[in-house]
Amino acid sequence: MRSTVLLVVACLLTPAAVQSQSLAEGFDNVGALPGRGWVLQNNSQPIGTTGWFQGDPSVFAAHDGDPNAYIGADFDNGSGRATISNWLLTPTVPLASGATVTFWTRKTSTNPGFYPDRLQVRMSTAGSSADVGTTATDVGAFTRVLLDINPTYAGSGYPIAWTRFDITIGGLPPGTAGRIGFRYFVENGGPQGLRSNFIGLDSFEFTEAPPVASASAMSLAVDIAGNGVLQPNEPGVTVVPTWQNTSPVNVASLTGTVRAFAGPAGATYAINDGDATYGPFPAGAIATCSECYLVTVSAATRPATHWDATALETVTAGSSEKAWTLHVGDSFSDVTDSSPFYRFVETLLHKAITGGCSATQYCPAAATSRAQMAVFVLVARQGAGYTPPACGATPLFADVPSSSPYCPWIEELARRGVVGGCGGGDYCPASPVTREQMAIFVLRTLDPGMTPPACSAPAFDDVPAASAFCRWIAELARRGIVSGCGGGNYCPRGTVTREQMGVFIGATFGLTLYGP
C-alpha cells in the first residue's frame, strides 16, 4: 500500500526554553501547530486532498508518545501525476552557526522498494518570512538545503524504521534569524505517479547555538612607564591594550597574541614579546593586560614625518581581533621627547590637525594665529578630512577675502557662533590667539550651544568675575584642561604658542594618540 508522509515534533516551551531559544515539537496535536507559530503550506501541482496531517497508527506508530503522535504526508498531497511540494515551517528561530536540528523520520515498510519518497530540510534566514513561493518548484526564501533524504529516489533510499537525523548549522553570524522548512518533495508523485508513498517525522528539536565569547577593543596605551609614545630605536616598548567582554560568556583567563607588526619600508619592526595575559574576563568586564607586549621599531632614517605602524592582536575570547595603529614618535626635531608638550604635539600630527611648520620642525614656540586656529579646532571637532563649504563672492569679514585658504574655515566658525570677529567688520586673521580667546575657541567649537555657569568665585587671580572670559576659563579649569600659568594666575592675554595649542585642543576634544 502507499502511505502518507508523517512529520512528528514534540512541542514543549517553558519560560527557560524560550529564554534559551530551544524548541521541541512532538506533534501530539497537528491542528494546534499554526497557533504555535508553525506554517503548513501545500504547493503541490496538481494539488491533492491531503496536506500535513495527524499520524496514522494503522500504518505505523509514532517514534515517541501516543501511537498517533507524529505528523505525516502522503501521495494524496497531489492528484493524478503530480509534483508534490508540501511545506512544514518551524516558528522563527535564531540561526547562528552552531545551532542544531534533530528529528526522526521513516516511511511505511509495506512494499518498501516501490514508490520512493523524499524529504528536504531547507532554511530561510529572512526572519519571520514564510515565503515558499506558489508553485511546486518554488522555494521562495528557503534557498539553503540542509539535508536531502533520497534525492535520487532509490527504492531503499528512505528509512523504513524510525531513524534519527542531526544537522548542525554553519556559516551564519550571531543575530541571524529565520525558519527551518521541511519539504515533502517528490517529482512524478501522486496517486498516478511512480513515486511517493507515506512518511512520518517525529521528535523534532531545535537548539540555539551556545553563546560564543567575544570581545571588543577599547583602548591602547604605549610606554606607560615613560612618555607614552613609541619612539624609533627605543628597545622593548610596552604596548598595553584594553578589551571589553561583549558576550554573556565568562572567560576564565583571557590571553592574547600579537603578530604582523609592520609599517613603511626602510625600518625594522620587531616583536620582542608577542604574548599577553589579561586574567579573568567575566561577561561585560573590561580588562587591561597585566603582562603585555613589547615591540621595537628601528630605523637609521625616518621614512616619513607622520609615521604609523600596525600590529594585529588576537585574544582568546572568540578569537576576536584588532588591527592596532601604532604611531611612531620623534616626528619633529624641535620637540624633544622630554618636553611636557611632546605627546600632545605627536597627537596633533597623528590626527592630521597640523603637519608642523616644515617637514622636520613644528615651531613649538611660535604664536598660533586666529586664522590657523579656525582650521585646528574644526579638524579636531570634525575629524581628519573635513572640509567646510567654500566662501561666497562676498566674504563675511572684510579682512578675510574669499580667495584666502582660511576663509571657509573662519566663516564656518562664524556660522557656528564660535567667533564674531575682532570688531569693525574684521576678523584679524594674522593676530595671535590669546589664552582667554582660546577658551572660547575650543569650548564653543566642541559644543556650540554651551554656556558655562557664571563665575561666582574666579578660578584665577588675574581673571575677575566681571571678565567676559571668566566663565569659559573657569570651565576649562573644571575640566582639568588648564591649571594656569603659575602663581595663581591664568595670563589671559598671553599668546597661545603652538605647543600650548596642542594641550588646549588635545585635552578639550579628548584626542588620543593610540587606540580605536
Side-chain angles (χ1 to χ4, degrees), residues 57-372:
S58 68
V59 180
F60 53 76
H63 167 259
D64 188 38
D66 293 338
N68 72 337
Y70 66 91
I71 190 169
D74 65 4
F75 58 91
D76 281 328
N77 286 176
S79 65
R81 182 177 178 178
T83 296
I84 295 175
S85 182
N86 190 16
W87 294 85
L88 174 68
L89 311 182
T90 69
T92 305
V93 290
L95 294 173
S97 294
T100 59
V101 174
T102 299
F103 65 94
W104 294 71
T105 188
R106 63 164 290 182
K107 68 175 290 180
T108 178
S109 58
T110 304
N111 298 322
F114 294 91
Y115 307 115
D117 281 307
R118 179 182 183 185
L119 180 69
Q120 290 184 336
V121 183
R122 288 178 168 268
M123 181 174 70
S124 163
T125 57
S128 61
S129 173
D131 175 21
V132 294
T134 57
T135 72
T137 56
D138 288 342
V139 296
F142 291 78
T143 55
R144 180 168 170 179
V145 179
L146 300 178
L147 179 67
D148 198 343
I149 303 175
N150 199 23
T152 61
Y153 300 107
S156 59
Y158 208 102
I160 60 174
W162 284 111
T163 301
R164 174 172 168 159
F165 290 86
D166 295 280
I167 301 169
T168 299
I169 295 170
L172 295 177
T176 305
R179 297 179 187 260
I180 304 298
F182 291 94
R183 184 192 190 197
Y184 182 45
F185 180 57
V186 186
E187 299 153 306
N188 191 8
Q192 298 179 14
L194 299 178
R195 302 166 181 160
S196 72
N197 201 342
F198 186 107
I199 68 169
L201 191 106
D202 198 355
S203 302
F204 168 85
E205 292 185 7
F206 171 86
T207 303
E208 182 184 8
V212 177
S214 62
S216 176
M218 297 291 291
S219 62
L220 183 70
V222 172
D223 192 25
I224 56 176
N227 57 21
V229 181
L230 170 63
Q231 295 174 227
N233 306 312
E234 182 180 11
V237 178
T238 307
V239 176
V240 185
T242 296
W243 291 77
Q244 182 173 23
N245 188 336
T246 53
S247 74
V249 179
N250 295 324
V251 178
S253 181
L254 183 71
T255 60
T257 58
V258 71
R259 67 185 191 281
F261 184 35
T268 301
Y269 305 87
I271 299 174
N272 307 107
D273 186 344
D275 298 310
T277 300
Y278 291 83
F281 198 45
I286 295 175
T288 300
C289 59
S290 54
E291 297 179 16
C292 303
Y293 307 109
L294 296 175
V295 301
T296 300
V297 180
S298 303
T301 304
R302 188 178 188 85
T305 301
H306 185 189
W307 181 7
D308 285 343
T310 57
L312 183 64
E313 183 188 15
T314 304
V315 295
T316 50
S319 297
S320 301
E321 290 188 338
K322 173 63 180 179
W324 295 108
T325 298
L326 295 169
H327 176 79
V328 183
D330 288 353
S331 303
F332 301 107
S333 61
D334 56 353
V335 183
T336 66
D337 60 11
S338 61
S339 167
F341 302 101
Y342 174 61
R343 183 168 55 86
F344 293 98
V345 170
E346 293 290 343
T347 301
L348 292 188
L349 173 66
H350 183 61
K351 295 296 186 181
I353 293 171
T354 177
C357 59
S358 75
T360 60
Q361 293 190 318
Y362 181 75
C363 303
T368 305
S369 72
R370 287 169 55 86
Q372 293 168 341

Side-chain angles (χ1 to χ4, degrees), residues 16-73:
V18 172
Q19 184 178 11
S20 64
Q21 295 297 309
S22 295
L23 173 67
E25 177 57 70
F27 294 109
D28 296 341
N29 184 352
V30 172
L33 290 178
R36 296 200 291 264
W38 292 76
V39 176
L40 293 74
Q41 182 169 327
N42 189 356
N43 283 350
S44 301
Q45 292 179 307
I47 196 166
T49 58
T50 62
W52 291 102
F53 50 78
Q54 196 70 52
D56 185 351
S58 68
V59 180
F60 53 76
H63 167 259
D64 188 38
D66 293 338
N68 72 337
Y70 66 91
I71 190 169

